[in-house]
Amino acid sequence: MFARVAVNVSAISDLFDYAVPVELAAQVQAGCLITVPFGNQTVQGVIIELLDSPQVANPKPILDLLDPSPVLTPPQLGLAMRMADSTLNPLASIISLMLPTGLSQQADILYQTVDNRPQTEEDGLPSSIHGRLLNLLKERGPLRGRQIDSHFAKIDWRKTAGMLVKKGILSARHVLPAPRVRPKFLRVAQLSVPPEEAEAAMDSLGTKQTLARRQAALRFLIQQPDAINLSWVYAETGCKLADLQELEERGLIRLFENEVFRDSVGKIESRGVENREIGNGIKLTPEQESALAQINNSITNHLISNLQYLLYGITGSGKTEIYLRAAEETIKQGKQAIILVPEIALTPQAVRRFLSRFPGQVGLVHSRLSEGERYDTWRRARSGKLKVIIGARSALFSPLPNVGLVVVDECHDSSFYQSEPPYYHAVAAAQEYARLCGAVCVMGSATPTVEQRFQAEHGQLTKLELPRRIVETGLPPVQVVDMREELKNGNRGIFSRALSESLAETISRGEQAILFLNRRGTATYIFCRDCGLVLKCPNCETPLTLHTEEKEKLLCHHCGYTRKLPQTCPACGGKNIRAYGLGSEKVEADVQAMFPNVRTLRWDWDTTRQKDAHEIILTHFANHQADVLVGTQMLAKGLDLPLVTLVGIVLADVGLNLPDPFASERVFQTLTQVAGRAGRSTLGGKVILQTFMPEHYAIQFAAGHDVNGFYERELEYRRQLGYPPFARLVRLEYRHADPLKAEEESQKTATRLRERIAAEKRHQTELVGPVPSFFSKADGVYRWQILVRSPDPVSLLRDFKLRDWRIEVDPISLL
Ligand code: ADP
Ligand code: ZN
């Protein structure tokens, strides 16, 4: 027997054949985690399939099986292959996403100094790379490459190490670290005879000193139906291990090890879940009924061909209630459900509803789990003990045995896109995975993306609508304030008169306000504060941005056009032309200056670095321990805060003027979501939206809560300029510490690509760039990019050598 194996070696995408040794033949199957020889290393790998005959003569044998059960289910294997192919990521990097950290291990090199070698000049200066390396190894003993990495940020020490190995100063050998995680066991005791028999033995348990303790222990165990932790028995009865061992010796009790699962839910559940069974008593609205009926029909009836839904409903229209009931139906069918949410910490309300509806059956997957908790949640999912997995994008990769439902809540949210290698979109992956599992996929949002709506209109998704809020408040009215007028009237502050007055009223009524600040792209675009004009590139209409290195220079990140920063506005001659910059600290300080007695709370990346900070801030605000919440993007997620009657959008245009075709859509979604936070109860509410460009369509449609209008307009714009969904994009990025090298490599690659496009007669394929990226310098390295636009860019690039390039298929931003 032979096996085709994906090896866990970075950048290797090919599959390799190995022989299955006789002693493992009965155990191995597709999806098993094994170790194999690879070159002169031992590496981990996953069996993709078993074969009768290998593609190479005399393949090497598999060394070891690391886990008796497969670590990937058949649909997961299928998903990994499809994702590797469609996202152009190495297969090993996709498989790594699916294995819990600590279980998957990459091979490494162990370095150590050679003993008894006299100190020589070779040891170098203590400050040189090799001096530092030798010192480190002398101090710490043998270290693995990845451990050494953490001491040499961005310094290439490996070359030096290689040289030292050649000279016999260091030794190096290949190692494969053992998995860091393993099941956890607790020692337990349990009665092993009928209680009467134990009672009968009670008087003959020992001598005077030991009798009382042993009796106490036995009495305690007689009363316990389950196996009890030894530490608990000791605490309750004062007995010792020797006493229990004696009882076992006499055949009265059993001592053994019980596996315990480190639970990811405990902490959240203990923090005030309402035990009251919310929901089951609720009577669904007719719209909810009809949407749920269709979804449930697909769950129970597998012959239906379309199993993918877009649940399009405004905030507060009852989408979560539908997810809950669809999950219930799925469990009834003996299957499991995956619920993806943008970020667990930001959606505690929805998570709690799942926990209380399915007690003991829910697993949470989020970034703050310990390795052990993650591993155990993963194993409980694999064994089918958990019926519902909730989490951010990585929850999709839980190895549930029989997935019947995949929900993506807030499916427009950009956090479903992983914006670092391996780049992938969890919504696309969820759709693909549901197909492979034969499961129903429900994507819910108040503001689906242009592409998701386009899919719905073209039959790939069935649209279900929930057009009304449960509490019939209607959507809050939005007042647009033109900040140019404020300036003309001498108000140079960050709050318009309308906003300050409304704030004062809201607070005096004992209600709450949210002030929203869009931080993305702050202080980068240039506009005239008198007339609102944004300086754009004469070639491609892209907003010009301040060059990060030379302050007075403006740059087009699309075509490379540059110009000097003008002193006066080309349209109105005004002198107030400048970059826009404003932080949430400033907004909070201004509120406090205006209303000294008001309690403010700030919710942004600075205030939420600590563990549980999100929950604490939210709970504080929800309990009305603050009047005004100042926050950034996080406010756009699914919060339900009934006391909030005023939402102030401090500046709506930020982010609108980024050189990115997806900028308008992002701003529209954020504004619409934030506006939806106001007036969620019968108290009503309103939104004040401040802007320097009230005529922009994204602002106008957001002010009118007009999702359909925006969609039509945005789709037309995409059609004219050939952006998705009318073409597909691949963004290629090259990074180098030397700006000239970055440019040179980019030019070379662009030329090679142009040649291939011509040779393959791809007339519909267009190459844009190379140009410096919008954020042209990150972590001290220069970024250059090339954009490929075509009906099928993946086929152009599939076997095109792009070493050291970052490849993003279907990126959600071109910055
Ligand atoms: P969404 O997910 O669309 O924002 P939710 O499902 O959170 O909406 O519903 C908003 C609120 O209305 C929640 O408090 C929920 O418990 C309640 N709710 C949902 N459906 C109903 C219903 N049919 N009748 C009464 N209340 C409902
Ligand atoms: Zn340009």
Side-chain angles (χ1 to χ4, degrees):
M1 195 167 38
F2 301 91
R4 189 153 290 163
V5 174
V7 292
N8 187 5
V9 178
S10 53
I12 298 274
S13 242
D14 300 336
L15 302 177
F16 299 88
D17 289 356
Y18 288 89
V20 178
V22 195
E23 65 273 16
L24 292 180
Q27 298 167 58
V28 295
Q29 49 183 308
C32 278
L33 185 67
I34 52 171
T35 54
V36 292
F38 188 75
N40 53 2
Q41 321 173 37
T42 296
V43 303
Q44 277 190 352
V46 170
I47 298 179
I48 301 297
E49 57 178 331
L50 294 174
L51 314 159
D52 291 329
S53 56
Q55 246 168 12
V56 292
N58 300 323
K60 292 186 197 165
I62 291 172
L63 299 176
D64 206 358
L65 179 65
L66 290 174
D67 187 327
S69 313
V71 294
L72 296 181
T73 64
Q76 284 188 298
L77 279 171
L79 179 66
M81 309 276 271
R82 298 291 279 272
M83 281 178 70
D85 186 62
S86 64
T87 64
L88 299 172
N89 284 302
L91 181 59
S93 69
I94 301 287
I95 288 180
S96 294
L97 294 172
M98 300 181 171
L99 301 183
T101 48
L103 180 63
S104 75
Q105 293 287 347
Q106 258 181 27
D108 207 342
I109 298 179
L110 187 75
Y111 291 94
Q112 116 181 71
T113 51
V114 172
D115 288 344
N116 300 330
R117 198 184 48 83
Q119 183 96 4
T120 68
E121 284 161 56
E122 300 288 354
D123 290 5
L125 294 169
S127 60
S128 67
I129 298 180
H130 85 238
R132 280 176 59 192
L133 187 59
L134 285 174
N135 268 335
L136 182 69
L137 291 171
K138 271 179 210 152
E139 272 171 27
R140 301 273 312 274
L143 288 178
R144 283 184 284 110
R146 280 196 287 278
Q147 295 172 311
I148 298 177
D149 277 338
S150 61
H151 294 268
F152 285 87
K154 292 193 200 104
I155 294 174
D156 182 14
W157 57 269
R158 280 171 203 266
K159 231 188 237 151
T160 310
M163 186 264 293
L164 293 173
V165 171
K166 269 209 196 99
K167 290 187 175 164
I169 297 171
L170 284 187
S171 73
R173 80 191 152 83
H174 293 287
V175 289
L176 179 66
R180 287 193 300 273
V181 285
R182 52 175 58 93
K184 185 172 166 185
F185 290 95
L186 274 185
R187 301 206 64 193
V188 293
Q190 189 170 27
L191 202 65
S192 62
V193 294
E196 311 82 63
E197 204 172 309
E199 291 287 357
M202 204 55 90
D203 293 333
S204 61
L205 290 176
T207 61
K208 209 167 171 131
Q209 292 144 351
T210 55
L211 182 65
R213 292 204 311 260
R214 291 177 189 173
Q215 283 180 338
L218 193 57
R219 266 196 208 104
F220 176 65
L221 290 173
I222 287 173
Q223 274 146 34
Q224 306 298 323
D226 302 317
I228 304 295
N229 290 348
L230 292 198
S231 53
W232 188 239
V233 182
Y234 302 153
E236 283 287 313
T237 68
C239 75
K240 298 182 173 142
L241 180 61
D243 300 317
L244 294 176
Q245 282 167 336
E246 179 60 31
L247 294 177
E248 187 184 34
E249 193 66 21
R250 292 171 185 239
L252 297 169
I253 66 168
R254 241 162 26 98
L255 296 178
F256 56 102
E257 294 204 314
N258 232 1
E259 184 169 0
V260 288
F261 290 98
R262 287 152 285 199
D263 199 347
S264 54
V265 169
K267 291 171 206 155
I268 289 202
E269 240 169 354
S270 60
R271 208 175 296 132
V273 180
E274 299 153 63
N275 279 330
R276 175 168 65 91
E277 178 64 357
I278 45 169
N280 277 351
I282 290 179
K283 184 168 158 22
L284 295 186
T285 63
E287 288 94 350
Q288 283 176 312
E289 282 288 2
S290 122
L292 182 67
Q294 286 197 58
I295 293 171
N296 278 354
N297 192 21
S298 310
I299 292 173
T300 48
N301 180 354
H302 312 283
L303 297 175
I304 291 180
S305 61
N306 195 350
L307 300 176
Q308 309 230 337
Y309 293 96
L310 179 63
L311 182 60
Y312 169 44
I314 57 177
T315 46
S317 61
K319 296 187 292 296
T320 310
E321 191 56 42
I322 291 186
Y323 308 148
L324 286 160
R325 301 211 182 188
E328 212 171 293
E329 186 62 39
T330 306
I331 296 170
K332 243 189 242 160
Q333 300 289 319
K335 298 185 178 188
Q336 304 90 36
I338 297 177
I339 317 291
L340 299 185
V341 295
E343 199 180 321
I344 285 233
L346 302 182
T347 43
Q349 292 164 327
V351 170
R352 288 228 177 87
R353 283 164 73 188
F354 273 94
L355 291 176
S356 79
R357 198 72 67 92
F358 307 105
Q361 299 180 293
V362 179
L364 296 184
V365 176
H366 56 84
S367 56
R368 289 186 176 134
L369 293 186
S370 70
E371 259 181 15
E373 287 169 341
R374 186 179 298 271
Y375 178 54
D376 285 357
T377 304
W378 178 85
R379 281 185 313 129
R380 284 200 298 160
R382 182 171 70 169
S383 69
K385 285 196 186 106
L386 294 175
K387 306 300 178 202
V388 179
I389 296 282
I390 308 183
R393 53 175 188 264
S394 65
L396 181 67
F397 304 123
S398 304
L400 294 166
N402 193 358
V403 177
L405 174 69
V406 181
V407 168
V408 188
D409 188 25
E410 313 282 359
C411 61
H412 63 277
D413 196 280
S414 57
S415 70
F416 288 120
Y417 183 75
Q418 174 154 308
S419 54
E420 57 192 55
Y423 299 100
Y424 72 94
H425 206 305
V427 179
Q431 290 184 268
E432 183 72 55
Y433 188 48
R435 246 175 254 130
L436 288 164
C437 295
V440 174
C441 181
V442 179
M443 299 159 45
S445 173
T447 52
T449 67
V450 167
E451 289 170 82
Q452 286 158 357
R453 288 205 41 161
F454 192 76
Q455 279 191 31
E457 250 135 66
H458 289 75
Q460 287 125 296
L461 291 171
T462 304
K463 190 156 87 178
L464 303 170
E465 292 195 57
L466 298 179
R468 291 182 300 129
R469 279 187 164 179
I470 298 288
V471 181
E472 288 269 16
T473 53
L475 285 164
V478 180
Q479 180 185 350
V480 176
V481 177
D482 186 342
M483 293 302 278
R484 295 169 302 190
E485 293 298 320
E486 293 291 315
L487 197 66
K488 276 197 198 125
N489 290 316
N491 176 6
R492 307 189 75 87
I494 53 181
F495 299 126
S496 59
R497 287 154 304 166
L499 184 51
S500 355
E501 281 162 21
S502 295
L503 256 178
E505 282 167 23
T506 304
I507 295 161
S508 72
R509 280 198 306 264
E511 294 162 3
Q512 291 179 301
I514 285 179
L515 294 176
F516 171 75
L517 195 65
N518 193 342
R519 278 286 294 279
R520 209 185 157 105
T522 329
T524 45
Y525 74 96
I526 302 300
F527 75 113
C528 169
R529 289 192 68 169
D530 294 322
C531 73
L533 177 88
V534 172
L535 294 185
K536 290 189 177 160
C537 170
N539 306 326
C540 42
E541 284 291 294
T542 305
L544 295 173
T545 56
L546 260 192
H547 206 274
T548 33
E549 281 80 50
E550 290 169 64
K551 273 279 175 274
E552 295 291 290
K553 202 162 130 195
L554 299 180
L555 171 71
C556 169
H557 283 274
H558 206 68
C559 71
Y561 168 88
T562 62
R563 65 162 291 172
K564 256 188 69 193
L565 176 67
Q567 295 302 308
T568 52
C569 171
C572 74
K575 291 197 173 61
N576 286 313
I577 199 156
R578 60 184 56 137
Y580 187 84
L582 179 62
S584 36
E585 302 92 332
K586 168 88 174 119
V587 174
E588 188 183 29
D590 279 23
V591 174
Q592 285 167 349
M594 245 186 329
F595 308 103
N597 296 323
V598 160
R599 300 163 301 169
T600 60
L601 203 55
R602 187 153 61 85
W603 194 23
D604 59 19
W605 297 118
D606 290 337
T607 57
T608 52
R609 279 203 211 108
Q610 280 159 311
K611 205 170 162 18
D612 298 332
H614 289 295
E615 278 246 36
I616 294 167
I617 293 175
L618 262 179
T619 312
H620 240 71
F621 192 62
N623 293 343
H624 204 179
Q625 287 163 291
D627 309 300
V628 179
L629 180 64
V630 179
T632 56
Q633 256 68 354
M634 295 164 224
L635 285 173
K637 320 271 166 170
L639 296 177
D640 191 359
L641 300 163
L643 258 190
V644 171
T645 55
L646 173 67
V647 167
I649 295 169
V650 178
L651 194 69
D653 344 350
V654 183
L656 216 42
N657 295 304
L658 293 169
D660 183 1
F662 306 109
S664 307
E665 180 176 27
R666 252 191 327 258
V667 169
F668 174 79
Q669 280 168 354
T670 309
L671 294 180
T672 309
Q673 293 280 345
V674 172
R677 298 300 137 224
R680 293 200 50 158
S681 71
T682 44
L683 291 173
K686 69 170 169 179
V687 179
I688 293 181
L689 185 158
Q690 305 191 140
T691 173
F692 283 97
M693 25 187 357
E695 53 292 306
H696 195 289
Y697 67 96
I699 304 248
Q700 299 243 320
F701 287 122
H705 300 288
D706 187 356
V707 180
N708 294 335
F710 177 80
Y711 170 72
E712 296 299 334
R713 172 72 198 264
E714 182 69 9
L715 196 67
E716 194 43 44
Y717 159 80
R718 303 272 184 97
R719 191 197 313 274
Q720 276 168 15
L721 295 179
Y723 282 116
F726 299 100
R728 291 183 62 192
L729 302 175
V730 174
R731 178 175 172 276
L732 303 173
E733 181 186 316
Y734 190 78
R735 297 184 176 190
H736 203 286
D738 178 349
L740 291 176
K741 287 250 170 64
E743 174 166 5
E744 195 180 279
E745 166 65 26
S746 305
Q747 298 290 4
K748 251 194 243 156
T749 300
T751 306
R752 276 201 301 138
L753 273 168
R754 288 209 165 88
E755 284 164 7
R756 173 179 277 212
I757 291 166
E760 294 181 358
K761 299 200 168 51
R762 291 174 180 263
H763 303 304
Q764 300 206 63
T765 297
E766 187 193 355
L767 197 129
V768 187
V771 281
S773 300
F774 171 69
F775 297 110
S776 60
K777 207 173 165 195
D779 295 335
V781 294
Y782 292 84
R783 300 165 76 219
W784 275 69
Q785 70 183 45
I786 299 174
L787 195 65
V788 181
R789 171 166 40 192
S790 136
D792 184 12
V794 172
S795 68
L796 172 74
L797 296 167
R798 194 168 275 130
D799 55 356
F800 189 83
K801 277 264 168 307
L802 280 167
R803 267 199 69 206
D804 300 333
W805 281 78
R806 290 161 177 252
I807 307 171
E808 275 185 273
V809 178
D810 301 329
I812 62 164
S813 149
L814 301 183
L815 301 177

